Amino acid sequence: MNRIESILTGLAACLYPPRCPVCGQILYPADQRICPECRKKLPVIDGPRCARCSKPVEKEEEEYCYDCARRTFLCEKGFALWKYDRVTAESVAAFKFRGRREYVIFYAQEAVRLAESFLWRNRPDYLVPVPLHKKRLAARGYNQAALLAERIEKLTGIPYVPLLIRTRNTKPQKELNDKGRGRNVEDAFALSKGEWRRLPGIPDTVLLVDDIYTTGSTVEACAAALREAGVRHVLFLTLCIGRGF
């Protein structure tokens, strides 16, 4: 980093000091990315988890959760960092809707730390964020999944490529039930032809990056577009995951 970049970084830290992604308080020292006490509040999935979607399961001998045991998926498997609860819901909402972009630094560090073995075993060719529709992107100013994928690329070297676009401005998934979510995002994603043409060949394994997984409808719709294009394996990485329906 040269002197000018160092000065700019220092000014940015003064104007926009990093805040804890749980309590929202300014952090001291600035390189600390979460309050020690707040870290303990994050519901890390440290017990048995579903072999496909990563949702917590009650018993070690349960290979799949209820959702995954009763149907098949185009998105083969994934990894989630935390259970979706009041703490993680508030943190991610601030990240998505209230401009707390700096939270992505902590999120990415934790994603790489907690999902290290998953990333190493599966070795994805590309990180692909779940896209926002252009209208929603214009209103929000950024795609939280893209910020996360970009930061993970810096930490792992796995290339970030926005291979997908959202073709319809769908309703927010949180407003719908299980079946409604599936219908809402059906055929809502397509390849970004410009990005696809830049690839040296058809990827073997793609890792979708998103913030929250509930029924899996969104990643399934994304996987459908990628599999149709010839991608053999579609996986996902998400910050939070619910317990299912």
Side-chain angles (χ1 to χ4, degrees):
M1 182 182 292
N2 60 38
R3 191 164 184 272
I4 293 175
E5 288 176 332
S6 180
I7 292 171
L8 291 174
T9 300
L11 285 172
C14 291
L15 293 171
Y16 306 103
R19 293 178 180 271
C20 172
V22 172
C23 70
Q25 296 300 307
I26 294 174
L27 291 163
Y28 297 102
D31 60 352
Q32 180 176 273
R33 289 295 165 184
I34 189 171
C35 300
E37 288 304 309
C38 287
R39 178 183 284 276
K40 298 174 185 176
K41 298 177 183 178
L42 290 172
V44 176
I45 304 172
D46 54 6
R49 59 173 76 206
C50 174
R52 196 205 71 84
C53 76
S54 198
K55 285 178 186 170
V57 294
E58 296 297 326
K59 300 175 182 177
E60 192 73 50
E61 57 269 24
E62 290 182 69
E63 185 175 8
Y64 299 109
C65 69
Y66 175 75
D67 294 336
C68 293
R70 64 194 177 111
R71 56 194 180 111
T72 57
F73 295 83
L74 294 171
C75 193
E76 296 174 23
K77 57 185 172 179
F79 190 93
L81 278 61
W82 307 305
K83 302 168 191 172
Y84 187 68
D85 68 356
R86 181 187 58 78
V87 172
T88 53
E90 175 59 27
S91 179
V92 171
F95 174 50
K96 289 173 68 169
F97 306 120
R98 299 198 289 275
R100 296 294 185 203
R101 302 188 202 192
E102 71 269 23
Y103 291 2
V104 75
I105 298 174
F106 173 74
Y107 291 159
Q109 289 172 346
E110 289 300 283
V112 172
R113 182 178 72 86
L114 295 172
E116 180 181 13
S117 61
F118 176 84
L119 294 171
W120 176 251
R121 287 195 312 270
N122 294 289
R123 302 188 184 189
D125 299 305
Y126 300 108
L127 304 168
V128 176
V130 171
L132 288 178
H133 189 268
K134 58 184 179 181
K135 289 184 178 179
R136 194 167 298 175
L137 180 61
R140 190 177 301 175
Y142 58 95
N143 176 3
Q144 73 282 352
L147 293 182
L148 183 58
E150 287 177 312
R151 180 63 60 168
I152 293 173
E153 177 190 46
K154 292 178 181 179
L155 296 175
T156 64
I158 303 169
Y160 150 73
V161 185
L163 278 180
L164 295 172
I165 59 171
R166 192 179 292 241
T167 57
R168 292 190 289 107
N169 192 15
T170 55
K171 294 179 181 179
Q173 290 286 78
K174 64 182 180 181
E175 297 177 2
L176 305 168
N177 61 21
D178 190 356
K179 291 182 179 179
R181 291 178 187 208
R183 291 191 297 267
N184 188 44
V185 293
E186 188 175 1
D187 299 323
F189 301 97
L191 289 179
S192 170
K193 293 181 180 179
E195 295 292 343
W196 186 260
R197 283 195 290 266
R198 293 188 187 98
L199 299 181
I202 297 175
D204 180 76
T205 304
V206 161
L207 181 68
L208 292 167
V209 178
D210 205 5
D211 52 352
I212 300 170
Y213 180 111
T214 48
T215 63
S217 298
T218 300
V219 295
E220 274 296 282
C222 289
L226 292 166
R227 295 286 293 270
E228 187 176 347
V231 178
R232 290 181 60 203
H233 305 289
V234 181
L235 317 173
F236 73 86
L237 175 66
T238 187
L239 297 177
C240 311
I241 195 161
R243 282 195 169 272
F245 292 83

